[in-house]
Amino acid sequence: MADIINPENEEDLQAQIEEVEALSSIYGDEWCVIDEASRIFCIKISNDSEESKLTACLQIILPLDYPSASPPIYQINAAWLRGSERARLANSLEDLYVEHTGESILYMWVEKIREFLVEKSQSSETVDLPGKVNMTTEEEEDDDDENIPDFSTFRLSTENAHLFMEHGSDEEIPPIKHGNTITDRRSTFQPHLAPVVTPRQVKMVLEKLYENKKIASATHNIYAYRIYCEDKNSFLQDCEDDGETAAGGRLLHLLQILDVRNVMVVVSRWYGGILLGPDRFKHINNCARNILVEEGYTASTDEASKSGAKTKRPKSKKTK
């Protein structure tokens, strides 16, 4: 269902139409309309180098009040982009938005990502690490496409998207719990959990986790979170694959099934060189479920079946 356009959003809508037309003209076939009514678009970006070609797909949702009040909601899909590099690129995009609040910024974002790709390809770092080739092979090997969620099903509540840009100095990093590892054919999975009540805390948790060299070096750091907005009686939720295609969506689906709230779960995977196929998704979700049970966010399978109890809902922990 398309959003109802209020009179105050008409200027924003007109600005969006003009921006989309301009981007379509500039980038041609690289620009793709996923859902025009819901204002969902994507663009394929490359560094234009034949020797070390890097590409990334930028998926975008334009909120009703973009560009006047909210930033675009975005997701960057690139198997080679993860860890501290992903965080660094995200920070640079957010900085651009802050510098140009109220302006149309998609062109600046696209060129910033392209500039990042060029710098990456020119650096001494190589993309052709042993694990990388196998990781891509595993993604291509998995034919379970029917379970890959559509990007449009994970839209944030756009009226709350601007909260990502708030930099409240009074917020503290939520306590982070680390769960037990699962190892299968040399691949290791470990869950991390933190209570969150604002998108700003989600970012803080990720930044704190990436300070740990071991976690930062993981092949993938998949995450999902759900925040309950009492005033709107709705959820603010999102997920990230970090290169493990569809893993973030499956993890978010687990949180939805368990009906947990005000919590973020991150699962780190260190790839061991042996393809796991669909088993990798089972391990990711089992890790997440285990730590949710351990921290009291949901009952174990045995307890739930014995008592018929519904999911436990911990009280939201307010930040100081």
Side-chain angles (χ1 to χ4, degrees):
M1 182 184 296
D3 296 308
I4 298 175
I5 307 299
N6 296 322
E8 57 266 29
N9 296 129
E10 288 182 358
E11 289 187 9
D12 283 322
L13 181 59
Q14 184 58 38
Q16 290 180 22
I17 292 173
E18 293 174 1
E19 184 176 21
V20 167
E21 288 178 351
L23 292 171
S24 177
S25 175
I26 293 170
Y27 296 114
D29 292 340
E30 293 180 344
W31 179 262
C32 175
V33 177
I34 297 177
D35 186 338
E36 189 170 12
S38 299
R39 299 177 305 285
I40 304 175
F41 310 92
C42 71
I43 180 170
K44 182 179 179 182
I45 308 167
S46 67
N47 61 339
D48 298 324
S49 171
E50 294 300 328
E51 296 180 359
S52 56
K53 191 173 184 64
L54 291 176
T55 60
C57 179
L58 174 66
Q59 294 175 312
I60 304 157
I61 301 173
L62 300 181
L64 281 173
D65 53 357
Y66 166 80
S68 67
S70 294
I73 301 166
Y74 73 93
Q75 176 173 306
I76 302 173
N77 294 327
W80 54 268
L81 181 65
R82 66 190 198 282
S84 58
E85 284 189 332
R86 181 178 289 275
R88 182 160 61 90
L89 179 56
N91 287 337
S92 66
L93 296 185
E94 291 184 8
D95 289 342
L96 267 178
Y97 171 74
V98 172
E99 292 170 13
H100 300 274
T101 301
E103 301 176 22
S104 299
I105 59 163
L106 292 183
Y107 176 78
M108 287 184 276
W109 272 13
V110 171
E111 293 310 308
K112 173 59 72 173
I113 295 172
R114 194 187 309 279
E115 177 184 313
F116 187 90
L117 298 184
V118 172
E119 290 177 359
K120 170 73 175 173
S121 65
Q122 292 176 346
S123 70
S124 58
E125 298 174 22
T126 174
V127 204
D128 298 323
L129 297 173
K132 288 293 188 176
V133 177
N134 291 329
M135 178 189 67
T136 304
T137 304
E138 181 167 17
E139 289 175 358
E140 292 174 351
E141 183 187 73
D142 188 5
D143 293 325
D144 194 16
D145 289 337
E146 68 272 14
N147 290 321
I148 297 178
D150 188 307
F151 175 75
S152 62
T153 64
F154 297 116
R155 282 179 286 171
L156 295 174
S157 300
T158 54
E159 65 271 21
N160 294 314
H162 67 282
L163 294 174
F164 277 103
M165 311 311 300
E166 294 180 355
H167 298 276
S169 58
D170 58 338
E171 287 195 75
E172 295 182 354
I173 299 176
I176 302 174
K177 301 292 185 179
H178 306 281
N180 297 322
T181 61
I182 293 177
T183 301
D184 180 11
R185 286 163 279 180
R186 299 207 300 257
S187 277
T188 299
F189 303 79
Q190 183 183 24
H192 320 281
L193 178 149
V196 293
V197 293
T198 68
R200 173 64 180 156
Q201 288 183 326
V202 172
K203 183 178 178 182
M204 293 167 72
V205 169
L206 289 174
E207 290 174 346
K208 185 64 178 177
L209 285 173
Y210 281 127
E211 290 178 6
N212 182 305
K213 292 183 179 179
K214 182 179 179 183
I215 294 175
S217 68
T219 313
H220 310 287
N221 282 300
I222 304 111
Y223 72 81
Y225 67 86
R226 299 186 83 214
I227 297 172
Y228 182 63
C229 306
E230 293 186 11
D231 56 336
K232 296 182 173 63
N233 192 29
S234 62
F235 283 91
L236 181 63
Q237 57 189 22
D238 200 10
C239 59
E240 172 58 52
D241 296 336
D242 195 22
E244 186 73 286
T245 302
R250 293 167 189 251
L251 182 57
L252 177 57
H253 187 55
L254 174 69
L255 301 188
Q256 292 169 333
I257 290 174
L258 297 178
D259 194 25
V260 296
R261 57 183 63 191
N262 299 333
V263 67
M264 172 183 189
V265 177
V266 181
V267 178
S268 302
R269 180 197 180 182
W270 290 269
Y271 179 63
I274 299 175
L275 303 180
L276 302 187
D279 283 349
R280 65 193 191 274
F281 300 118
K282 177 182 71 177
H283 297 321
I284 291 168
N285 275 13
N286 282 344
C287 270
R289 180 187 288 273
N290 290 345
I291 198 169
L292 286 166
V293 169
E294 291 166 8
E295 296 304 317
Y297 282 83
T298 187
S300 67
T301 305
D302 292 339
E303 291 172 347
S305 61
K306 287 178 182 177
S307 63
K310 293 183 178 181
T311 302
K312 296 179 182 178
R313 293 177 179 173
K315 294 180 179 179
S316 302
K317 296 183 179 180
K318 296 182 179 179
T319 55
K320 296 180 180 179

